[in-house]
Amino acid sequence: MQDTWNWPLVDPLPSYGRGRELPGRRYVSFIQGDGISDVIITGENGTIDGQGDVWWNMWRQRSLHFTRPNLLEFKNSRDVIISNVVFQNSPFWNIHPVYCSNVVIRYVTVLAPYDSPNTDGIDPDSSSNVCIEDAHIATGDDLVAIKSGWDEYGIAYGRPSSGITIRRLQGSSPFSGIAIGSETSGGVENVLVENINLYNTGFGIHIKTNAGRGGYIRNVTVVNVSMNKVRKGIRIAGDVGDHPDEYFNRYAMPTVDGVTIKNVRGVDIQQRIDRRHQELALYSTYACPMSSSGVL
């Protein structure tokens, strides 16, 4: 994936309105599927290597012309199984099911250097009935980030992420272990996160959005999480992320409602809970008394 000059381009996702990093089109993902069904990607832990260091250096040098490619993206697809494969060194996000339904991702390993930019592990995006289980992820950005479109484009497209299950996942990241957002303009609902083991991580559980996003985050349950050496255990923030252009509606306020977080344990946690929601209509209730060592 290092021939950047001849890498094909595709149109931006309609729920994003432009490339996520730069205006205009975006580089096509290494593995790309659109409008397909009954798909299985599996192997005996064979490796798909995105050789992302060339792309990361272009990002650092600000010499990119378009948004970097994902390692794998399925769009408008259903009945997808991804299992027993190692994904590593993606130029950008690793696994990105967008506008999909009935997706199972299990027994995968996702790897990228700790300092690699924007190498999210798995990002279900405007998708329904997604199960992520029994995975090990260690990357330079969020291990799992649930998304649903970006500002006015995501609001107009109006496709939520719903019915998302994440369980028996372990990993490490300088950013978030389990994240919702920040692009949640189409809405996120009915999320179950359970039996998670995080270590050497920036934020354990991170719900993040911003003024202008609109949309909602609701009916989220997080249970049985273990954290070790985490900077901030739980963070709910309404001031995270940039905007696609100047046309976003700064009065489109997101709402967060019905978040339950329980049975969380942490050792060596620098800050237990960080609540930054001055730009957020927050109706959540969550009870998680937290110590730097013991039960959160």
Side-chain angles (χ1 to χ4, degrees):
M1 291 187 69
Q2 295 186 332
D3 186 6
T4 61
W5 290 105
N6 294 315
W7 203 258
L9 295 170
V10 293
D11 290 334
L13 295 168
S15 57
Y16 284 75
R18 47 158 276 189
R20 186 58 185 86
E21 296 185 283
L22 293 167
R25 307 183 79 193
R26 59 198 182 110
Y27 291 109
V28 69
S29 299
F30 179 61
I31 300 173
Q32 175 83 39
D34 188 356
I36 57 178
S37 61
D38 299 313
V39 179
I40 298 175
I41 295 180
T42 189
E44 297 180 355
N45 294 319
T47 299
I48 300 173
D49 192 332
Q51 301 177 341
D53 54 339
V54 168
W55 300 91
W56 306 333
N57 288 332
M58 291 175 67
W59 177 86
R60 294 180 181 115
Q61 296 162 7
R62 300 185 179 182
S63 60
L64 284 166
H65 298 288
F66 302 96
T67 295
R68 286 170 285 159
N70 305 307
L71 193 51
L72 182 153
E73 180 178 271
F74 285 134
K75 183 171 64 170
N76 300 310
S77 299
R78 60 182 177 86
D79 301 324
V80 175
I81 297 175
I82 302 168
S83 70
N84 300 95
V85 178
V86 178
F87 297 87
Q88 68 181 31
N89 300 324
S90 176
F92 197 53
W93 301 344
N94 277 271
I95 301 173
H96 185 220
V98 57
Y99 319 142
C100 290
S101 61
N102 304 331
V103 177
V104 176
I105 303 171
R106 61 160 63 108
Y107 305 123
V108 300
T109 299
V110 184
L111 304 173
Y114 204 71
D115 63 348
S116 56
N118 310 108
T119 51
D120 293 21
I122 303 171
D123 288 358
D125 196 340
S126 292
S127 293
S128 59
N129 300 327
V130 178
C131 179
I132 300 166
E133 61 185 8
D134 300 299
H136 173 77
I137 306 175
T139 62
D141 212 314
D142 300 343
L143 304 185
V144 176
I146 304 171
K147 303 176 181 291
S148 66
W150 198 12
D151 286 8
E152 71 269 29
Y153 302 104
I155 293 171
Y157 197 74
R159 180 161 178 176
S161 279
S162 64
I164 311 294
T165 299
I166 304 164
R167 59 193 176 202
R168 298 187 301 275
L169 179 146
Q170 66 174 356
S172 171
S173 163
F175 289 94
S176 305
I178 304 297
I180 299 177
S182 72
E183 306 92 330
T184 56
S185 300
V188 173
E189 62 184 353
N190 303 330
V191 175
L192 173 62
V193 178
E194 60 182 354
N195 302 322
I196 306 297
N197 182 13
L198 305 173
Y199 56 92
N200 297 332
T201 296
F203 309 105
I205 307 299
H206 195 185
I207 297 174
K208 50 182 176 173
T209 184
N210 205 342
R213 291 286 191 264
Y216 54 82
I217 299 169
R218 64 192 183 203
N219 300 335
V220 176
T221 299
V222 180
V223 61
N224 297 335
V225 179
S226 175
M227 303 182 192
N228 191 343
K229 295 184 179 178
V230 173
R231 192 166 76 251
K232 295 184 179 182
I234 299 167
R235 187 177 192 239
I236 299 179
D239 58 354
V240 178
D242 55 352
H243 303 283
D245 51 42
E246 69 273 23
Y247 302 112
F248 74 96
N249 179 4
R250 61 189 68 252
Y251 300 106
M253 294 297 173
T255 62
V256 176
D257 185 21
V259 176
T260 300
I261 302 173
K262 60 184 181 179
N263 297 342
V264 181
R265 295 180 177 272
V267 175
D268 196 4
I269 310 298
Q270 293 182 25
Q271 183 178 357
R272 296 172 296 171
I273 301 174
D274 180 13
R275 287 165 285 196
R276 298 170 59 190
H277 47 75
Q278 61 270 29
E279 299 292 343
L280 181 67
L282 179 66
Y283 304 107
S284 302
T285 57
Y286 52 93
C288 28
M290 190 171 189
S291 63
S292 59
S293 177
V295 179
L296 281 62

